[in-house]
Amino acid sequence: MPYPTFDRSKLKLRPLSERDHDITTDQFPNLDTPIQPFDNPKLNTVTDRIVEARKNNRPVILMIGAHVIRSGAAPYLIDLMERGFITHIAGNGACAIHDYELALMGATTESVPRYIRTGEFGLWTESGNLNIIAQEAVNKNIGLGEAVGQNIIENNLPHTHISVFAAAVRLNIPITVHVSLGYDIVHEHPNCDGASIGASSYTDFLVFTESVSHLEGGVLLNIGTAIMGPEVYLKALSMVRNVAHQQGHTIAKFTTAVFDLIPLGDDIETEAPKTDSRYYYRPFKTILVRTVRDGGESYYIQGDHKVTIPNLYQQVVIKKESAPC
């Protein structure tokens, strides 16, 4: 006998217009907003590696968590894509949700403590459009990230200009969504089809893996994603190294950088022991240590995304503009 399942048809959804939003686009910076100083020599080195990688036509892959979207980083990421400094963006399911809501409403994010008490958290009608988009992705045989960007552009959503996904599709830059089922608010919705989400997100995993196959001499940035980023990257890197070794090649000499708030100490080259809580922080052991042991280099940038991302943007642009032709 199969286990009983919850009847989603009983759920009551409300329109996004009735939700109190915690974040609106008028809170976001623009490219003219003064940038708070952030003095970190490691950031200088990372920006050098990015500029060098693109000069040599090597990839710069950016893996992000949803807070990067919520922090208002879109103008910086979009401009970096337009300038050719980012060649791939990978995010989790929440990245797609926040980006879509911002493009549609100019607002996103709800109070979990408030809405979970009444059983309304996540149950907003328009957010469920992401489930329809996942089905469209399967029908088109494309990944979920590309489908989200296409949908925003085709429907000319009111705030398309602030959408990272739309910009990536417009610029023909791969943008991929790596979903864990049950993690995202749209998985609560009656119109959620797990098979479509799984299929379209797996397509994105293969798109991402193809980008990683070219990582030699390039840069991989992991900003604000403690689980999705390191885990997806780890599996993709193993796959591409498997094929490369069969062909007599290596994928080892590249740069990784992690941007986050957690203090890791001065030694990021040595894996922490299992008795140390840092051992269980995946970006540390996976991105900063294990995957660069054979010739790569890694850097940790500790700070708030609202400060580190604008400074990363500023330094990359300045160094490119000041570089000799």
Side-chain angles (χ1 to χ4, degrees), residues 6-56:
F6 181 79
D7 183 1
R8 299 178 298 175
S9 66
K10 297 178 180 179
L11 292 169
K12 178 183 178 181
L13 277 64
R14 293 172 57 193
L16 274 173
S17 60
E18 296 180 3
R19 185 176 78 181
D20 287 336
H21 300 94
D22 291 347
I23 296 173
T24 58
T25 53
D26 58 10
Q27 301 168 355
F28 289 174
N30 56 55
L31 297 182
D32 296 323
T33 301
I35 294 175
Q36 180 179 333
F38 181 75
D39 185 16
N40 187 320
K42 294 179 181 177
L43 183 62
N44 297 336
T45 305
V46 171
T47 55
D48 285 340
R49 298 295 181 271
I50 292 172
V51 172
E52 180 182 7
R54 295 309 298 137
K55 179 181 178 181
N56 295 324

Side-chain angles (χ1 to χ4, degrees), residues 22-262:
D22 291 347
I23 296 173
T24 58
T25 53
D26 58 10
Q27 301 168 355
F28 289 174
N30 56 55
L31 297 182
D32 296 323
T33 301
I35 294 175
Q36 180 179 333
F38 181 75
D39 185 16
N40 187 320
K42 294 179 181 177
L43 183 62
N44 297 336
T45 305
V46 171
T47 55
D48 285 340
R49 298 295 181 271
I50 292 172
V51 172
E52 180 182 7
R54 295 309 298 137
K55 179 181 178 181
N56 295 324
N57 199 30
R58 307 313 302 159
V60 174
I61 300 172
L62 174 61
M63 307 192 78
I64 60 173
H67 184 66
V68 173
I69 300 293
R70 295 197 302 265
S71 72
Y76 304 111
L77 301 185
I78 292 170
D79 196 62
L80 286 173
M81 284 191 286
E82 290 176 342
R83 292 172 181 267
F85 287 112
I86 296 175
T87 63
H88 187 125
I89 293 182
N92 56 22
C95 287
I97 294 167
H98 289 300
D99 189 87
Y100 180 82
E101 289 183 352
L102 285 166
L104 178 65
M105 304 289 296
T108 190
T109 306
E110 60 193 296
S111 169
V112 178
R114 171 183 173 178
Y115 287 113
I116 193 61
R117 294 177 65 186
T118 56
E120 295 173 293
F121 170 66
L123 293 167
W124 309 100
T125 302
E126 294 89 343
S127 302
N129 291 344
L130 272 294
N131 292 322
I132 299 172
I133 293 172
Q135 296 170 27
E136 293 174 350
V138 173
N139 293 336
K140 294 179 179 179
N141 196 29
I142 61 176
L144 182 54
E146 183 177 2
V148 170
Q150 282 187 4
N151 185 277
I152 292 171
I153 292 172
E154 290 169 0
N155 288 284
N156 192 26
L157 296 187
H159 305 275
T160 297
H161 69 282
I162 203 71
S163 168
V164 173
F165 281 72
V169 169
R170 170 172 58 84
L171 297 166
N172 198 29
I173 292 172
I175 186 160
T176 52
V177 182
H178 306 273
V179 178
S180 293
L181 288 174
Y183 274 39
D184 300 323
I185 61 170
V186 296
H187 303 161
E188 303 174 44
H189 289 228
N191 70 343
C192 178
D193 176 28
S196 296
I197 292 174
S200 58
S201 185
Y202 190 72
T203 294
D204 272 352
F205 173 62
L206 297 181
V207 172
F208 176 78
T209 304
E210 174 62 21
S211 290
V212 173
S213 72
H214 304 284
L215 188 55
E216 183 77 2
V219 178
L220 181 132
L221 307 174
N222 187 90
I223 305 182
T225 167
I227 298 176
M228 181 283 294
E231 291 301 317
V232 171
Y233 157 69
L234 180 67
K235 280 70 173 186
L237 184 63
S238 182
M239 292 165 68
V240 301
R241 281 179 168 172
N242 180 289
V243 174
H245 285 180
Q246 294 179 58
Q247 298 174 342
H249 304 303
T250 59
I251 302 174
K253 294 182 179 180
F254 53 83
T255 300
T256 65
V258 172
F259 291 64
D260 217 329
L261 291 170
I262 297 174

Side-chain angles (χ1 to χ4, degrees), residues 257-288:
V258 172
F259 291 64
D260 217 329
L261 291 170
I262 297 174
L264 296 181
D266 295 329
D267 183 8
I268 64 164
E269 297 181 357
T270 305
E271 186 173 312
K274 292 183 179 180
T275 53
D276 187 328
S277 62
R278 294 175 303 161
Y279 173 84
Y280 301 96
Y281 179 60
R282 290 172 175 84
F284 184 8
K285 66 182 178 183
T286 299
I287 297 177
L288 298 179

